[in-house]
Amino acid sequence: MGTQGADGARGGRAFAALRRGAEELCRLVAFRALDSILLLATLTLLAPSRAGAGAWTQEEGHGQVILQGSAVHSGSEFGPSSDLYDSRPYDKLEATLVFEYGASDWLTLIIAPQLLAVDLGAPAPSSYAGPGYTDAGARVRIYNENNVVVSAQVVGRLPGTGNSQSAAAVGYEDPELDLRLLAGWSFPLFGKAAFLDVEAAQRLRFGDPPDEFHLDVTLGVRVADRWQVLFQSFNVISEGAGEGPYFGTSYEYYKLQFGAAYDLTEAVTLGVAVVSTVFARNAPQENGVVLTGFYRF
């Protein structure tokens, strides 16, 4: 097949994934969003909120508390040739509480515990509910000139699933180390304040899963005094195959997320977004909703 034919085939598969994603997202919102919203509302009453600072560090003595909750559903999978087919369904809820504190203007300390609930469907139903990963690390600013900031970040990820022996906990059972380079740029876009955040990471995974390369991109535009829209892309490529029955092949997946954030006060921001896997290989096609809140101090 020529280059144009291959590009056309890939574009067709991506369009089909988007269409199927929209259908599954409607189902998710109709049948699952209420449960997740109730769960997240409960968590919000217990603690303040989440989103990300990207490449920017916190000022000395200041920081933020961030609560992010997501609810995703999958009923299909991209195969070795990136063709979509029906697969074992699952639903996943995550709630992550992130604490960031500026030890100095150039050094931000990070800790982020997580709660996780996963339900796998037939042919072999399985479930897990309990602690997920707890992240701990730091972000160091190494450049800050002309509205451009560059930082390096190191985060260790400790699993909380223990010896669950549940298929629903696969992928959350081994320690990880995330080594990340972040770059941020603030600029005007059509007369509106905007920013671009680009992050490249080497994710070292210990145990059966293979190491991964991550590339995350966020474009934010302040469309009104209190409103900001966010366009995000999350991309993961495994570095070969891993070991064991669940990680015997390499994989890659590409997600798009679109959302909006509203500044309730100077210290509190609330956000909502939708996310979908638009293209992948040997990976599930996920669709979901993300709720976010920040408290800055």
Side-chain angles (χ1 to χ4, degrees), residues 28-144:
L28 172 70
V29 171
F31 297 100
R32 305 299 265 182
L34 180 59
D35 290 341
S36 63
I37 289 171
L38 290 174
L39 170 65
L40 294 169
T42 302
L43 291 171
T44 303
L45 291 174
L46 295 175
S49 346
R50 152 144 210 191
W56 288 266
T57 52
Q58 303 295 326
E59 295 181 1
E60 182 175 357
H62 296 271
Q64 62 180 355
V65 184
I66 312 163
L67 176 65
Q68 178 169 285
S70 63
V72 301
H73 171 78
S74 177
S76 57
E77 184 172 334
F78 292 90
S81 300
S82 299
D83 294 319
L84 266 178
Y85 61 89
D86 291 338
S87 64
R88 184 183 189 182
Y90 68 84
D91 295 285
K92 179 169 62 177
L93 296 174
E94 291 182 345
T96 305
L97 187 63
V98 181
F99 299 88
E100 292 194 348
Y101 180 75
S104 69
D105 287 346
W106 55 269
L107 175 63
T108 295
L109 305 179
I110 305 165
I111 187 167
Q114 178 191 65
L115 293 176
L116 173 71
V118 182
D119 286 309
L120 299 180
S126 179
S127 64
Y128 170 81
Y133 277 104
T134 295
D135 294 359
R139 182 166 59 253
V140 177
R141 189 180 68 202
I142 57 181
Y143 179 86
N144 184 23

Side-chain angles (χ1 to χ4, degrees), residues 282-296:
N282 292 329
Q285 202 282 315
E286 293 184 338
N287 304 285
V289 293
V290 182
L291 301 180
T292 306
F294 312 63
Y295 173 70
R296 294 173 289 276

Side-chain angles (χ1 to χ4, degrees), residues 54-55 150-154 178-184 197-203 212-218 233 235 239:
V150 178
S151 301
Q153 180 174 289
V154 178
D178 189 275
L179 308 175
R180 188 169 293 253
L181 184 65
L182 313 88
D197 180 76
V198 180
E199 306 180 11
Q202 174 69 32
R203 179 73 60 86
E212 298 172 337
F213 173 75
H214 290 233
L215 179 64
D216 302 335
V217 180
T218 299
S233 173
N235 311 285
E239 298 174 355

Side-chain angles (χ1 to χ4, degrees), residues 251-265:
Y251 55 86
E252 57 187 295
Y253 54 89
Y254 308 90
K255 295 183 178 182
L256 292 180
Q257 181 169 309
F258 172 73
Y262 177 75
D263 295 331
L264 193 63
T265 68

Side-chain angles (χ1 to χ4, degrees), residues 210-286:
D211 294 343
E212 298 172 337
F213 173 75
H214 290 233
L215 179 64
D216 302 335
V217 180
T218 299
L219 173 64
V221 182
R222 186 160 291 280
V223 294
D225 287 344
R226 290 176 176 246
W227 284 98
Q228 184 172 220
V229 294
L230 297 165
F231 305 89
Q232 297 176 281
S233 173
F234 304 106
N235 311 285
V236 176
I237 302 173
S238 74
E239 298 174 355
E243 300 177 352
Y246 297 105
F247 299 99
T249 60
S250 62
Y251 55 86
E252 57 187 295
Y253 54 89
Y254 308 90
K255 295 183 178 182
L256 292 180
Q257 181 169 309
F258 172 73
Y262 177 75
D263 295 331
L264 193 63
T265 68
E266 289 186 359
V268 178
T269 298
L270 303 177
V272 61
V274 293
V275 61
S276 180
T277 308
V278 296
F279 190 76
R281 178 178 57 83
N282 292 329
Q285 202 282 315
E286 293 184 338

